[in-house]
Amino acid sequence: MQLQTFAEYALKEVLSRKNNKVIKVLSAGCASGEEPYTISIILNEMLDFQYSFKIDAIDIDYKMIEIAKEGIYGQYAIKDIPGEYLERYFDKIDDERYRIKEVVRKNVNLYNLNLIEDRTYEILDEDYDFIFCRNVLIYFSDDIKRKLIERFYIMLNEGGYIFLGHSESINRITSAFQIVKANDFILYRKPL
Ligand SMILES: C[S@@+](CC[C@H](N)C(=O)[O-])C[C@H]1O[C@@H](n2cnc3c(N)ncnc32)[C@H](O)[C@@H]1O
């Protein structure tokens, strides 16, 4: 699973050479919040007390951001979450629904923003360690993809990673990133 590669490979690699103790993540095209909340759970599990973290999560679809803010998920959405984590990070509402706990929410900032509007980049930071943009590039022309990837390059710390969807590649668009193979996944890393 790609998020396992994030946890076991990329996060460990970034932590091994990080000067400050803050991890910053952007979830670009976060839909109804499963991605940023899962990353928040992973960081809660993996980081020791010296570290803090912040996850900015954006989506163009207002309704998706409202669902993400509500943070209530049905059986299907939580089907891959191990029982131990379900107990630790969710409150059971009834047999069908679970509410994500405050400890997971508190580091996730949700915004209804469009990735291809300039004003989005006035709101977002320029020092992310990880950018997740999975299954979103499919919506854009090569020209827009190129502009977006240039933005991501600027917004990433040196040595930071981009995670794309399984079938997505930016090889045709740019050669600015190092290509890292970890498990069965291709990750893109901004050179140090
Ligand atoms: C297929 S979903 C992927 C969700 C999540 N990243 C994942 O892989 O599970 C694509 C998401 O990208 C969002 N999206 C599409 N165009 C966008 C844009 N220009 N700016 C921000 N989000 C966008 C859609 O609203 C949708 O929620």
Side-chain angles (χ1 to χ4, degrees):
M1 184 181 166
Q2 198 178 23
L3 287 175
Q4 203 169 339
T5 306
F6 160 66
E8 290 173 2
Y9 176 83
L11 178 61
K12 282 192 180 160
E13 196 272 318
V14 166
L15 290 176
S16 70
R17 57 176 167 72
K18 191 136 176 89
N19 293 327
N20 65 32
K21 299 286 183 195
V22 184
I23 296 289
K24 283 199 190 176
V25 181
L26 173 64
S27 169
C30 65
S32 47
E34 286 92 333
E35 179 176 274
Y37 288 141
T38 306
I39 295 166
S40 178
I41 290 173
I42 291 171
L43 292 173
N44 265 291
E45 287 289 315
M46 301 273 302
L47 297 182
D48 72 31
F49 69 95
Q50 308 167 58
Y51 284 92
S52 61
F53 68 90
K54 167 182 144 145
I55 302 166
D56 291 332
I58 75 166
D59 203 282
I60 195 174
D61 187 335
Y62 172 79
K63 284 194 225 93
M64 286 292 145
I65 292 296
E66 288 305 297
I67 294 169
K69 283 184 176 165
E70 203 175 30
I72 295 175
Y73 297 99
Q75 292 286 359
Y76 184 77
I78 48 112
K79 69 180 182 345
D80 294 328
I81 298 179
E84 179 196 345
Y85 291 177
L86 204 55
E87 212 161 281
R88 201 174 303 159
Y89 295 113
F90 291 80
D91 291 316
K92 189 169 180 179
I93 301 175
D94 53 35
D95 284 347
E96 296 296 320
R97 295 174 306 153
Y98 292 78
R99 182 184 288 112
I100 196 100
K101 283 190 177 170
E102 181 57 23
V103 65
V104 183
R105 283 172 190 270
K106 69 177 187 201
N107 303 79
V108 177
N109 307 307
L110 294 156
Y111 302 101
N112 177 214
L113 291 172
N114 184 345
L115 276 166
I116 55 176
E117 272 181 9
D118 286 344
R119 84 176 183 97
T120 295
Y121 299 93
E122 290 164 19
I123 293 162
L124 297 176
D125 294 337
E126 288 203 340
D127 58 350
Y128 293 102
D129 298 295
F130 303 98
I131 296 179
F132 288 82
C133 188
R134 301 188 304 166
N135 310 306
V136 180
L137 293 181
I138 34 166
Y139 295 99
F140 306 133
S141 67
D142 276 2
D143 203 33
I144 300 216
K145 276 186 207 165
R146 190 170 295 110
K147 286 193 185 124
L148 193 56
I149 295 298
E150 278 167 11
R151 296 264 197 195
F152 287 168
Y153 188 90
I154 293 167
M155 293 160 77
L156 269 179
N157 287 333
E158 290 173 1
Y161 288 85
I162 298 186
F163 288 76
L164 302 176
H166 294 294
S167 54
E168 294 173 311
S169 159
I170 51 171
N171 292 343
R172 255 184 333 118
I173 305 287
T174 178
S175 55
F177 291 88
Q178 295 168 336
I179 295 174
V180 178
K181 289 192 180 133
N183 302 331
D184 274 339
F185 296 100
I186 305 272
L187 315 179
Y188 296 89
R189 181 175 183 252
K190 180 168 171 175
L192 286 170

